[in-house]
Amino acid sequence: MQSVEYVKSQIIWRAPEFKIENTSLGAAILEKLKHNDPKRIFEVLHDSDTKVTVRQVRHQTITAAQNLMNLGVKKNDRVVFFTLLNLKITPLTYACYTIGAPVCFFETYLEQEHVPAYLQMLDPSVIIYEERFKSMVTEGLKNLILTNLSHVLTLDGDQQSVEELLFGPVVDIESFKAPDIGDPRTLPAILGFTSATTGLPKVIMNSHAMVRHSAYNGWEADPESVVMVLSEIRWCCQQVAMIQPALLGVKRIYSSTPPLELTGEIVRKMIDKHQVTHYFDVPRFMRTVFEVVERSKENEPLTLSSLKFAWIGGESDGGVLEAYIAKIRPHCRFVKCYGMTEVGNAIATTEQIPTKQNINGGILKKGFVLKLMDKNENSLGPNQIGRVCIKAAAPFLGYLKNDMANMETFIEGGWLNTGDLGIVDSDNFLSIFTREKYTLKYADGTMLIPNSVENFVNNFEDVHSSALVGNSSADNPKQCCGTIFVVLRKGIPNSADFENSFRAYLRKELAKKQLEIIKYFKVLDDLPYTSCFKVDRMALKYMVNGGCKI
């Protein structure tokens, strides 16, 4: 097990060091591809069952990199993609890394009215789009003056096509040399969108060094591993999965189908067809996959037999999935991952922790240092709940053109405030409770952490999922009022019998002090989710006050 040291004199926790090499992400990728088996299957697009080899990716990457430079694209010129996943994205992204052009996978779920402001902020030199997003691009560019924009290219259309301008012109592959783009710690590789749980997303800047750190610091894998991440391309987990086949030698499975259009049955078939060993998803969706398996009794001995690791991230699973997967597929290791877009991927995971219930976090990954702080920025020690602050081997470069967010995030001494509340126990295991802004406040100023209630609510036999949200009381603005939102298991009716039994359960489980805040429960067909499939607690806040009284 990886050792994490508690440095008592500094009141910090330190994971083993991660060595940052002085090489750009693109140069590192090309070096790996050059010495890899050219016939090895690199990645597979499930939709068309198209298999791409190492040789194909290497040749397309070098071709696109040279032709981008021929078009005048250079270091620090930004390339913005309005696309979903497809066969051209990997080599195009690698090409941008190679020449030092930061990549932005645009948040395609944004309302059109917000697109111009983000384009102004990003100030791209090149825009690459799929035809399905053409109007989003053209409308967004109206009335804008972008002095650096030189090319708007289509991936699948006829005019100014990527195929013609970037993959078409012949390049001498073997004589190509990646340009020196400087310090990999300070040059952005990715301009990514945050998950927007409290409003419009911010744009983060992740360096070449940070993205490499994320790829190597992910799951334990070997060249026989088959990795599948079913998320949008703009998510950091998908961006990391995109470079792991190059740096780690694994095979990647992906789909161009948006996650909203996938079903548990489709994903189950994908895992079985491609013999996936490592599957990463958000809790809400992974559960639907295992529920399909639970109902598929006749295929039970065979389905998901290849799966070695099931990883979740994004938010807590409420303590339900671990026992659920252990019952259905005991050979599959369930791993929780705590990370954030600002550091590219995982900060801590439960991968090396022996079975230990309800840890949403785990052991710090290599290259991280952690500190817990109270609201006055005083350091806290083991078994004390505090604000989680971190330092990474490759520091976060900040939010693009957002001084306010940078001031709120960076703390004196170079610490990054995650905004999460957590605790580190005597074994140096990190547990994350919730975002600090989601806590409910008692009249005396102390906090009620939603997860502590949601975990036992989810154990009620008729409940599928839940969320506890608080807001100011409609009757007394100074008094917090909480509502538990629940989604029932399939086939369970929302009846008077359920309401009475659930009310009795809550009155038994909730402490008297908790009942001062938690006044109601409401049954929903489903919880609202953000475009990144996190529970949209801001949307739930508008529904607080009223419902079934506890």
Side-chain angles (χ1 to χ4, degrees):
M1 182 187 298
Q2 176 179 298
S3 61
V4 174
E5 177 190 9
Y6 174 57
V7 185
K8 188 174 182 179
S9 60
Q10 300 177 56
I11 322 180
I12 61 171
W13 288 263
R14 188 188 302 278
E17 184 181 0
F18 181 88
K19 184 180 179 182
I20 298 292
E21 297 180 12
N22 191 31
T23 310
S24 74
L25 183 57
I29 287 172
L30 287 179
E31 185 66 18
K32 289 283 187 179
L33 293 178
K34 182 178 180 180
H35 295 96
N36 218 315
D37 178 2
K39 295 181 181 179
R40 177 176 69 83
I41 301 301
F42 187 87
E43 58 185 17
V44 181
L45 174 61
H46 168 78
D47 310 44
S48 58
D49 200 26
T50 304
K51 298 176 177 63
V52 179
T53 65
V54 168
R55 180 182 183 277
Q56 288 173 307
V57 171
R58 178 172 177 260
H59 282 213
Q60 287 183 325
T61 296
I62 293 173
T63 299
Q66 183 61 65
N67 286 319
L68 278 168
M69 290 191 292
N70 291 345
L71 291 178
V73 182
K74 58 189 182 301
K75 173 183 172 180
N76 282 323
D77 284 349
R78 296 163 184 167
V79 179
V80 175
F81 289 83
F82 283 78
T83 74
L84 300 179
L85 289 160
N86 61 67
L87 289 166
K88 298 174 184 176
I89 290 297
T90 298
L92 285 173
T93 302
Y94 286 3
C96 292
Y97 294 155
T98 299
I99 66 174
V103 172
C104 174
F105 301 107
F106 201 86
E107 171 60 271
T108 54
Y109 285 97
L110 275 177
E111 296 292 334
Q112 184 67 52
E113 64 183 289
H114 300 301
V115 174
Y118 279 99
L119 286 175
Q120 193 83 59
M121 180 194 304
L122 291 163
D123 192 18
S125 294
V126 179
I127 293 176
I128 296 174
Y129 67 91
E130 284 182 287
E131 289 295 309
R132 72 179 87 188
F133 300 117
K134 183 176 182 178
S135 63
M136 191 177 194
V137 174
T138 54
E139 289 297 314
L141 288 173
K142 277 185 180 179
N143 304 318
L144 282 186
I145 299 176
L146 300 176
T147 56
N148 288 319
L149 184 60
S150 58
H151 292 86
V152 180
L153 308 178
T154 175
L155 274 169
D156 50 355
D158 297 327
Q159 296 182 338
Q160 288 285 297
S161 74
V162 164
E163 193 65 43
E164 177 187 1
L165 294 178
L166 299 184
F167 290 135
V170 177
V171 169
D172 186 344
I173 301 297
E174 300 309 322
S175 66
F176 177 83
K177 185 178 180 181
D180 181 3
I181 59 174
D183 188 350
R185 290 173 177 266
T186 59
L187 182 69
I190 293 174
L191 303 176
F193 283 79
T194 60
S195 56
T197 53
T198 57
L200 289 172
K202 298 183 285 290
V203 176
I204 58 94
M205 298 183 287
N206 284 347
S207 70
H208 284 245
M210 177 176 283
V211 179
R212 285 187 72 188
H213 179 205
S214 299
Y216 283 112
N217 222 19
W219 41 43
E220 292 182 0
D222 56 54
E224 301 303 314
S225 299
V226 182
V227 172
M228 185 172 78
V229 178
L230 295 179
S231 67
E232 300 283 4
I233 190 174
R234 68 190 187 282
W235 292 15
C236 61
C237 55
Q238 190 65 264
Q239 294 161 16
V240 168
M242 187 188 295
I243 62 175
Q244 285 181 326
L247 299 183
L248 303 183
V250 301
K251 182 196 295 184
R252 171 186 175 228
I253 311 298
Y254 68 100
S255 172
S256 61
T257 304
L260 284 171
E261 297 177 21
L262 293 170
T263 65
E265 177 63 16
I266 291 173
V267 177
R268 181 188 71 82
K269 289 180 178 179
M270 289 177 68
I271 292 171
D272 289 341
K273 176 176 180 177
H274 301 288
Q275 292 295 283
V276 172
T277 60
H278 293 62
Y279 166 45
F280 181 96
D281 218 324
V282 293
R284 175 198 183 214
F285 200 83
M286 183 176 287
R287 184 166 175 178
T288 67
V289 176
F290 281 90
E291 285 174 340
V292 165
V293 175
E294 187 178 43
R295 295 193 295 268
S296 181
K297 299 297 183 184
E298 60 186 66
N299 294 324
E300 194 167 316
L302 301 177
T303 193
L304 304 192
S305 59
S306 63
L307 207 57
K308 296 179 180 179
F309 290 92
W311 283 63
I312 63 164
E315 62 184 347
S316 170
D317 70 315
V320 174
L321 261 172
E322 185 161 11
Y324 196 62
I325 292 175
K327 179 183 72 172
I328 298 171
R329 285 294 174 267
H331 67 272
C332 177
R333 180 72 188 275
F334 175 65
V335 181
K336 298 178 184 180
C337 170
Y338 167 63
M340 59 190 304
T341 306
E342 285 82 347
V343 297
N345 203 356
I347 296 170
T349 75
T350 62
E351 185 173 11
Q352 298 182 41
I353 294 182
T355 301
K356 190 168 183 176
Q357 295 294 325
N358 295 329
I359 285 187
N360 179 37
I363 297 177
L364 278 183
K365 303 294 285 183
K366 288 181 180 179
F368 284 102
V369 183
L370 182 145
K371 175 185 285 193
L372 295 175
M373 305 179 83
D374 65 17
K375 61 182 179 180
N376 297 316
E377 298 187 8
N378 298 312
S379 296
L380 302 172
N383 300 309
Q384 293 180 288
I385 298 175
R387 184 183 300 164
V388 177
C389 301
I390 60 168
K391 288 182 179 180
F396 172 45
L397 298 182
Y399 300 101
L400 181 66
K401 300 178 183 177
N402 193 331
D403 293 339
M404 181 62 72
N406 287 325
M407 288 175 59
E408 293 173 350
T409 300
F410 292 105
I411 297 175
E412 186 177 354
W415 294 96
L416 187 156
N417 174 19
T418 67
D420 295 313
L421 290 178
I423 191 170
V424 182
D425 66 19
S426 302
D427 296 320
N428 296 332
F429 296 160
L430 169 68
S431 289
I432 299 295
F433 294 118
T434 188
R435 301 288 288 172
E436 187 173 16
K437 61 196 170 193
Y438 294 151
T439 58
L440 287 73
K441 296 290 193 301
Y442 291 107
D444 62 7
T446 57
M447 295 181 300
L448 170 60
I449 296 173
N451 308 51
S452 62
V453 175
E454 292 164 359
N455 286 345
F456 75 75
V457 169
N458 291 339
N459 286 327
F460 187 71
E461 59 182 359
D462 293 341
V463 172
H464 178 273
S465 52
S466 67
L468 170 61
V469 175
N471 216 340
S472 296
S473 170
D475 300 324
N476 182 3
K478 294 183 179 181
Q479 176 65 47
C480 188
C481 177
T483 300
I484 298 170
F485 296 91
V486 295
V487 177
L488 302 184
R489 290 182 181 271
K490 194 171 184 178
I492 302 296
N494 180 17
S495 63
D497 287 342
F498 164 76
E499 289 183 9
N500 290 332
S501 60
F502 186 58
R503 183 181 290 108
Y505 177 75
L506 293 177
R507 286 175 175 170
K508 177 183 176 183
E509 296 292 334
L510 289 172
K512 181 179 179 181
K513 189 173 182 180
Q514 291 172 326
L515 286 168
E516 293 175 8
I517 292 180
I518 307 173
K519 303 291 187 182
Y520 305 100
F521 68 86
K522 287 185 180 181
V523 177
L524 302 178
D525 292 335
D526 199 1
L527 297 173
Y529 290 88
T530 68
S531 63
C532 290
F533 290 103
K534 293 183 180 181
V535 174
D536 191 341
R537 293 177 186 265
M538 296 302 290
L540 289 174
K541 275 182 172 288
Y542 291 104
M543 294 185 261
V544 172
N545 295 335
C548 298
K549 284 190 175 182
I550 296 173

